[in-house]
Amino acid sequence: LEPSKLSARQKLHFIARLAPLVEPNFNLIELGPRGTGKSYFFSEFSPYATLVSGGQATKATLFYNNARKRIGLVGYWDTVAFDEVGGIRINDPDTMQIMKDFMANGRFSRGVEVIADASLAFVGNIDQSVEQIVNSAEHDLFLPLAKEFDLAILDRFACYLPGWEMPKNSSEFLTNSYGFITDYLAEAFHYQFAHSNRYEEVTKRVRLGAAVEGRDEKGIKKTIAAFLKILHPDGPPSDAEFEEYVTYAVECRRRIKEQMNKRKPDDEFAKIDLSYVATDGREVIVYCPESRGAAATQQPTRHVLGATADVKKTASKAQQPAPAPVVTPLDSSEPVRPATREPELKEQHYTIFYGDTGHSYESIMAAYLRGAQKVVVEDPYIRMPHQIQNFVRFCEVVLTSSTIRRIKLITSYDDESQRADAQNKLSDLQQSLLEQDIVLDLEFSATMHDREIRIDNGWVLKIGRGLDFYQKPTSWFEIGANDLSLRKCLETKVDIFRV
């Protein structure tokens, strides 16, 4: 493509279309007119991307085939793109549930836990006038999608690329100059996809406004990270360049949130004025150009609240003071139940005996992790594959049970080859934690011996055997092979105390 024939905004659109090829677990949707190269791009640009054309998308094809014990497309490709997404029909509700899990964090379970990095891209045609849609109280820009694409799916998109702004394919846009052949670019992007991570760099540099919520923030940061991988593989961009990428990423996420806000009958997605803080300290609210002046999109009517007359009646009463709440006396025959409270944490010192079950990382330490920001794990025996897997399970407990944002692991090794192997496996864990906004710091020491878990809320856990206190199952097909609370233990002492 000849860049001089494209506007600056169109260039950003073409770069955004590349994002799923360089950023793992990146969910993109592009809806627009025919003839803009959406399908052609994902089918021809890279040998690491595949295009699923129409028809039914089954969980066996996409995710995991239980009969053959074989992972689906998400395990083999960097990018799985769905063509003519408006015509996709998914009859099995399990498929959509697995898709939700996978789009959220790159993992799902179908009898086995599967983790994959594939990005998902959804491309399709939008036949209606965009101007009419954004000014309509009844319709939104997700109109072409099937009903199976509910709000939970839509909320997992990081970027809605406005395909109606893309130029139609034409020879007049082709360049007469030299460029990289796609064989080279595809390999470069595949390397970026598998071996680089700019998410932490973006997190340290970007400042987002108060309206930006959890999935907004993740989607915006992943879009910016993709731009850095493509346009600045050799270092950070300037402040002006970075601000341009932030503005574009916020707009692409706002487009998603505006449409969800039109669909939702309550105010769950009402915070649509997404913003960022510029280098000069100003808070900049970003708008989508197609909907900036559309009242139907900016202040949608909540139709399901009642008929028009009821809505007006409710609005007229809004200015009146609310009546005092009516207190209904308790029926004396009903027992009064006390309000439940979190049990008070206390120091514990006990022994897990050989052959005991019922002891998982969650049951031992989850309560003590709550409210913390950082945890330090000192354990010299996080080096063998099963020990590293134990540490992965510990990190999953941290992720699901606490507000911790930084984990530090200090472990040991016998020789350099063992250290290199452990470093390689733990680096995969590092990257997956970064995508959940958790930083994993690694430190190797050849002299350490003691085992200790220190939490920045003051609690310390000492387990005599560290995290590796489980017996190896007699068979990996017996109860307890996956659920540690059912796994038999080795004998060890547990001491939990506050410093």
Side-chain angles (χ1 to χ4, degrees):
L1 295 172
E2 174 54 49
S4 64
K5 295 183 178 180
L6 300 172
S7 68
R9 185 168 172 79
Q10 287 173 331
K11 292 176 187 177
L12 290 175
H13 295 336
F14 277 108
I15 298 299
R17 193 183 271 179
L18 297 168
L21 300 180
V22 297
E23 184 67 18
N25 299 130
F26 185 88
N27 305 312
L28 173 138
I29 183 166
E30 179 184 352
L31 300 177
R34 295 165 180 79
T36 57
K38 300 183 294 293
S39 306
Y40 181 84
F41 167 74
F42 287 108
S43 65
E44 301 295 333
F45 186 89
S46 172
Y48 299 101
T50 186
L51 185 69
V52 180
S53 299
Q56 289 193 351
T58 67
K59 55 179 178 282
T61 302
L62 293 176
F63 300 109
Y64 192 81
N65 189 318
N66 277 338
R68 298 187 177 186
K69 306 298 181 189
R70 184 178 298 173
I71 195 169
L73 296 175
V74 297
Y76 292 101
W77 303 92
D78 289 356
T79 307
V80 178
F82 298 86
D83 192 15
E84 303 292 350
V85 66
I88 290 180
R89 293 293 177 265
I90 300 176
N91 296 326
D92 185 355
D94 285 350
T95 303
M96 297 308 293
Q97 186 56 52
I98 295 172
M99 184 177 288
K100 291 173 189 176
D101 295 341
F102 181 75
M103 291 175 71
N105 51 32
R107 68 178 61 198
F108 60 90
S109 178
R110 286 209 70 207
V112 295
E113 185 80 9
V114 178
I115 301 175
D117 290 331
S119 292
L120 301 185
F122 298 81
V123 297
N125 301 321
I126 187 166
D127 297 320
Q128 297 78 12
S129 161
V130 171
E131 183 180 358
Q132 289 180 356
I133 291 176
V134 298
N135 285 287
S136 166
E138 305 293 335
H139 304 295
D140 57 67
L141 291 173
F142 288 120
L143 179 62
L145 300 186
K147 60 179 176 56
E148 289 86 1
F149 286 79
D150 58 14
L151 288 168
I153 291 282
L154 304 182
D155 197 21
R156 286 159 167 78
F157 286 122
C159 174
Y160 187 140
L161 202 161
W164 52 88
E165 295 185 18
M166 297 290 269
K168 292 264 190 178
N169 285 340
S170 170
S171 58
E172 69 176 288
F173 287 103
L174 298 180
T175 186
N176 292 319
S177 303
Y178 290 101
F180 290 126
I181 60 171
T182 54
D183 299 37
Y184 167 77
L185 274 181
E187 292 297 332
F189 289 170
H190 175 63
Y191 183 88
Q192 291 276 46
F193 183 96
H195 299 290
S196 68
N197 193 316
R198 307 294 287 274
Y199 194 87
E200 185 175 8
E201 176 187 341
V202 171
T203 299
K204 290 178 178 178
R205 193 166 174 180
V206 72
R207 294 170 60 196
L208 299 172
V212 176
E213 299 171 306
R215 288 204 173 115
D216 303 329
E217 180 179 358
K218 184 178 179 181
I220 291 167
K221 288 180 178 178
K222 288 177 78 72
T223 304
I224 300 169
F227 271 79
L228 298 192
K229 286 183 179 184
I230 297 167
L231 299 176
H232 303 274
D234 57 342
S238 67
D239 287 343
E241 291 169 327
F242 187 79
E243 198 165 301
E244 182 181 19
Y245 310 148
V246 173
T247 303
Y248 185 82
V250 172
E251 177 201 316
C252 288
R253 177 59 193 181
R254 175 172 180 143
R255 185 170 289 109
I256 295 164
K257 204 166 186 183
E258 283 183 350
Q259 310 316 309
M260 292 192 299
N261 187 42
K262 289 182 76 172
R263 286 194 176 191
K264 196 73 164 66
D266 57 26
D267 292 334
E268 181 180 355
F269 302 112
K271 294 182 178 179
I272 60 173
D273 283 338
L274 306 187
S275 62
Y276 68 93
V277 179
T279 52
D280 58 4
R282 294 177 299 110
E283 182 177 5
V284 180
I285 297 176
V286 180
Y287 293 88
C288 302
E290 72 277 359
S291 62
R292 180 163 188 165
T297 298
Q298 301 304 316
Q299 295 97 27
T301 305
R302 307 299 184 194
H303 295 286
V304 299
L305 294 181
T308 307
D310 294 334
V311 173
K312 290 180 179 178
K313 190 184 300 181
T314 303
S316 65
K317 290 183 178 180
Q319 298 176 351
Q320 301 177 10
V326 178
V327 180
T328 305
L330 286 172
D331 186 343
S332 58
S333 63
E334 286 290 323
V336 179
R337 293 179 175 84
T340 57
R341 292 193 313 171
E342 287 279 335
E344 185 177 350
L345 297 178
K346 59 183 180 179
E347 294 190 353
Q348 297 190 60
H349 307 273
Y350 58 92
T351 299
I352 298 174
F353 292 100
Y354 186 89
D356 278 359
T357 59
H359 300 285
S360 66
Y361 300 142
E362 186 171 17
S363 66
I364 293 172
M365 62 188 74
Y368 296 90
L369 294 168
R370 293 189 185 115
Q373 295 295 316
K374 180 179 179 181
V375 61
V376 178
V377 179
E378 291 188 3
D379 192 329
Y381 295 103
I382 308 292
R383 53 176 85 167
M384 303 299 291
H386 75 279
Q387 294 166 342
I388 295 174
Q389 184 61 43
N390 285 338
F391 183 66
V392 172
R393 285 169 165 159
F394 167 79
C395 291
E396 289 173 342
V397 172
V398 169
L399 180 64
T400 57
S401 306
S402 72
T403 55
I404 286 174
R405 284 290 164 263
R406 186 174 289 271
I407 303 171
K408 182 173 183 179
L409 171 65
I410 306 172
T411 190
S412 187
Y413 57 96
D414 289 332
D415 53 56
E416 285 300 324
S417 64
Q418 188 182 69
R419 170 179 173 158
D421 184 58
Q423 175 92 45
N424 185 46
K425 290 181 171 64
L426 288 167
S427 65
D428 292 342
L429 175 60
Q430 255 182 328
Q431 177 153 336
S432 65
L433 284 171
L434 270 179
E435 293 169 4
Q436 303 294 330
D437 285 342
I438 296 179
V439 176
L440 172 61
D441 299 316
L442 299 177
E443 183 178 319
F444 290 88
S445 169
T447 57
M448 69 173 298
H449 180 269
D450 291 343
R451 302 159 178 85
E452 184 174 272
I453 298 174
R454 298 192 301 276
I455 311 169
D456 69 353
N457 58 13
W459 288 101
V460 176
L461 294 87
K462 284 182 176 286
I463 305 176
R465 291 179 176 270
L467 297 177
D468 190 14
F469 61 86
Y470 294 103
Q471 296 183 30
K472 182 179 179 181
T474 307
S475 165
W476 289 104
F477 300 100
E478 68 179 29
I479 293 298
N482 293 312
D483 189 341
L484 293 184
S485 66
L486 302 174
R487 179 89 64 88
K488 292 180 180 179
C489 298
L490 300 166
E491 183 166 331
T492 189
K493 292 186 181 297
V494 178
D495 295 291
I496 305 174
F497 54 91
R498 188 189 289 276
V499 295

